[in-house]
Amino acid sequence: MAADLSPDDRDGLLRLARSRQTPHGIAARARLVLDCADVGLAEAARRSSVSRATAAKWSARFVERGVDGLRDGARTGRPATADDVVERVLSCALDEPPDGTSHWTTRAVAEAVGVSQATASRVRRRYFPRPEGSAALLDASTSILVYLDVQPTGCALGFHASGASPRGGGASADRLDVAETIVCSTLLGNPLLRSDWNAAQQDSSTTIRRALERLPAKPAASLILDMALNPAATQLLSRRPEISVRSVTPGEWLTLVHRVAEIIDPRQLSELRDLQRQIRLARRDGATRFTWSRAAAASRPAPAPAVQAETEPPAGDLTFVVRGICDEVLDGQLHFGEPISARRVSRRAGVSPGRVAEALNQLADEALIDKHGGHFLLPVPTPRDVIETYTARGLLGTAITRRLASAQTELPPVIDVHLAGIVRCNSLGLALECGEIDLDLQDELARASQMPRIGSMFIRLSLQLRLFLTIFGLNYRYPTDEILADDRHILAEIRRHDPDAAVEAWRSKIDNAARYMLTRLSVLRA
């Protein structure tokens, strides 16, 4: 029978549940008693991932003895594992395994934490239980992970159905290993089993808005959140009916490890290994936030070879720093007109703070960003900026396309790789990612022209446009089908070795791009 709470009892339990000084176990039990009174034993037990008998026990103990009843009595058996030991055991998934091993084993975890193997095993069984019954995590039996968002207020996982046939026999060790790192990434920004479910609800609209900006319009997506939806979040989701959402409590989040491992499409394993490395780098750098989307990752160019031709225009740290700035904007950490944090950009770009500072000074000298009072600021685009950038880009691109069309050599294969990326983004409706890959393709044309000075100036203008695209956000609408058509036209004329037609196709594209950007700028300024 659930307890009926007086106003004083309710206030006392709320204070316990929300206070950072309350031990985790007592805060969880206070929250459990509140839920028993508000939603009944069954739902309260589900939210806290305990049995109905356990929920009834703590509710009854509170009725009999008040707050003192929520404390553990004297025990005669093995002492409870301390919270810090539990967190260290679970956080091993965020660190590289010991040398000579590819996965964390229970023995390796025990040695790293300094506890017995039995203790490490008991903690892992408790927080990573194997699922019982046939309840599915998602409607689709096999899925592709497309989104991960870790914030101090909570986490989100996004999936697309892959269409692959499920494989029997449970998840492989490799899939279980990456799933453990992905699910445990919540420990980057949150204390173990973050206690305040209701407080997280207040931020759910921010989490949903961030997800909607990064999830493509199609195909349908499924989101899993460790927070309840507030009315603002529900309103946002009403505009994207193709996205379904499932909320779990923070206490349930880590229990998803085996279920996530079971639904991961094995064909994505290599990609998720790279995501695992990124999470571990974030952990090493002390990050408390981490956001990854498959669409954005796919748009990143492959790393340059160690030795490059002397004719290739240099990019130095500028490209990495500008991408770091763009990531700050996309995550809502930076808005135009605000100071740029060299430390945060350093963490995102993988470039040392000193080199970031040098790159920011260079970007300011070239008027790609603003500098006032010793602070570097994200620029506020003006129509004049857009017109000047595209005028210069049009002239430089004319020389590049004429040179490529006049040459008798073939375009490098990377051009077709980027074109295939644009085709994929067009089919998925990924406007911002399509614009990014379009700039990558144009930069590769500049490199292929073997005109270092002109190519270098062209690529510097690409950095300016990357900032413009990011500031304008997903509402920048140079339609993806027109981007694809313009690029195909340019490449076809270059491969026909018709310089005049190639130049005309290039100028047409520049006119289109400038027109759409100026239209978006007028809306933004209004």
Side-chain angles (χ1 to χ4, degrees):
M1 188 78 177
D4 292 323
L5 301 178
S6 69
D8 289 343
D9 286 340
R10 181 175 293 277
D11 289 344
L13 288 168
L14 284 172
R15 282 195 298 272
L16 280 176
R18 293 176 178 174
S19 174
R20 295 193 177 188
Q21 278 68 50
T22 304
H24 169 72
I26 296 177
R29 291 162 194 166
R31 202 166 54 252
L32 176 60
V33 173
L34 283 167
D35 286 340
C36 286
D38 293 339
V39 297
L41 286 175
E43 178 61 14
R46 188 195 69 80
R47 290 186 180 184
S48 295
S49 299
V50 299
S51 67
R52 289 189 58 173
T54 299
K57 178 185 78 172
W58 291 114
S59 180
R61 284 182 58 164
F62 178 80
V63 171
E64 294 169 1
R65 296 158 50 190
V67 171
D68 287 341
L70 302 183
R71 306 182 191 280
D72 285 312
R75 299 186 180 208
T76 57
R78 182 187 290 112
T81 306
D83 281 352
D84 62 336
V85 171
V86 171
E87 188 153 5
R88 285 162 57 201
V89 168
L90 302 180
S91 296
C92 282
L94 304 181
D95 299 321
E96 291 293 339
D99 291 341
T101 59
S102 59
H103 304 114
W104 280 100
T105 63
T106 304
R107 182 186 298 277
V109 169
E111 292 176 354
V113 177
V115 297
S116 69
Q117 190 171 346
T119 297
S121 178
R122 186 169 61 253
V123 170
R124 290 174 59 81
R125 286 198 308 271
R126 175 185 172 190
Y127 288 94
F128 305 148
R130 292 188 178 276
E132 297 179 0
S134 58
L137 180 61
L138 301 174
D139 291 338
S141 57
T142 308
S143 301
I144 296 290
L145 180 71
V146 295
Y147 182 64
L148 170 64
D149 188 29
V150 178
Q151 303 292 327
T153 51
C155 296
L157 281 172
F159 295 89
H160 285 163
S162 71
S165 300
R167 299 187 179 188
S172 67
D174 286 339
R175 281 188 286 161
L176 189 58
D177 181 59
V178 296
E180 186 174 328
T181 300
I182 290 166
V183 174
C184 285
S185 62
T186 183
L187 300 176
L188 291 174
N190 303 306
L192 181 62
L193 299 184
R194 174 177 45 80
S195 61
D196 202 342
W197 162 267
N198 293 321
Q201 179 181 353
Q202 299 173 7
D203 293 295
S204 62
S205 58
T206 303
T207 300
I208 291 296
R209 184 178 291 107
R210 192 163 45 242
L212 296 185
E213 289 174 349
R214 289 160 176 76
L215 289 172
K218 53 184 179 181
S222 298
L223 273 177
I224 303 174
L225 310 177
D226 69 338
M227 61 186 71
L229 297 178
N230 61 17
T234 302
Q235 179 64 27
L236 287 170
L237 287 167
S238 68
R239 303 168 192 166
R240 295 284 296 274
E242 77 279 6
I243 295 178
S244 60
V245 175
R246 173 180 173 181
S247 293
V248 300
T249 67
E252 292 176 303
W253 184 263
L254 293 179
T255 68
L256 298 178
V257 167
H258 283 275
R259 293 196 183 276
V260 168
E262 287 175 350
I263 66 173
I264 289 174
D265 190 319
R267 295 172 298 182
Q268 198 190 8
L269 189 57
S270 175
E271 183 180 356
L272 295 184
R273 281 290 186 199
D274 183 65
L275 172 58
Q276 183 182 51
R277 286 190 290 271
Q278 294 179 47
I279 293 171
R280 287 173 170 171
L281 285 173
R283 158 83 164 186
R284 187 193 65 187
D285 293 341
T288 58
R289 292 175 168 83
F290 181 87
T291 303
W292 172 88
S293 69
R294 190 174 190 240
S299 71
R300 298 295 194 213
V307 179
Q308 297 176 331
E310 293 182 0
T311 55
E312 181 178 324
D317 295 330
L318 297 184
T319 298
F320 297 104
V321 170
V322 168
R323 288 188 186 276
I325 294 171
C326 291
D327 287 342
E328 283 281 284
V329 176
L330 289 172
D331 285 345
Q333 303 299 312
L334 179 64
H335 301 85
F336 53 85
E338 293 183 349
I340 299 169
S341 168
R343 184 175 298 278
R344 289 206 306 261
V345 172
S346 168
R347 186 179 297 121
R348 290 182 178 275
V351 178
S352 70
R355 288 165 59 191
V356 169
E358 293 176 5
L360 291 176
N361 270 307
Q362 189 174 351
L363 291 171
D365 290 342
E366 297 180 9
L368 271 69
I369 60 175
D370 297 334
K371 184 177 182 181
H372 295 293
H375 295 289
F376 300 102
L377 307 175
L378 189 66
V380 180
T382 67
R384 180 176 177 178
D385 293 331
V386 172
I387 291 170
E388 287 184 354
T389 300
Y390 274 112
T391 298
R393 195 170 178 83
L395 293 172
L396 295 171
T398 293
I400 289 169
T401 51
R402 185 175 294 279
R403 173 69 172 267
L404 291 171
S406 300
Q408 296 303 311
T409 57
E410 295 296 322
L411 293 175
V414 70
I415 300 293
D416 290 318
V417 172
H418 287 313
L419 186 65
I422 293 173
V423 171
R424 184 169 60 253
C425 288
N426 178 52
S427 67
L428 295 175
L430 302 175
L432 187 60
E433 291 80 1
C434 190
E436 281 280 329
I437 302 177
D438 182 33
L439 291 176
D440 291 336
L441 184 149
Q442 294 174 46
D443 287 350
E444 291 299 337
L445 290 175
R447 293 186 177 96
S449 69
Q450 297 186 347
M451 294 189 291
R453 291 184 180 86
I454 288 178
S456 179
M457 290 186 286
F458 186 90
I459 290 174
R460 296 296 172 85
L461 291 173
S462 294
L463 299 180
Q464 182 77 71
L465 292 178
R466 290 183 194 281
L467 287 174
F468 287 170
L469 282 173
T470 305
I471 291 170
F472 294 159
L474 293 180
N475 288 326
Y476 168 59
R477 284 292 187 258
Y478 180 177
T480 57
D481 57 343
E482 293 191 27
I483 291 176
L484 179 58
D486 287 344
D487 287 345
R488 280 175 167 165
H489 187 195
I490 293 169
L491 296 180
E493 299 302 342
I494 289 175
R495 283 170 167 147
R496 287 180 57 238
H497 303 295
D498 187 333
D500 291 337
V503 167
E504 184 62 30
W506 169 255
R507 289 174 177 167
S508 175
K509 177 180 179 64
I510 287 294
D511 288 344
N512 283 340
R515 181 174 67 255
Y516 283 111
M517 191 167 282
L518 286 169
T519 300
R520 173 57 190 149
L521 180 57
S522 66
V523 174
L524 184 69
R525 292 172 66 84

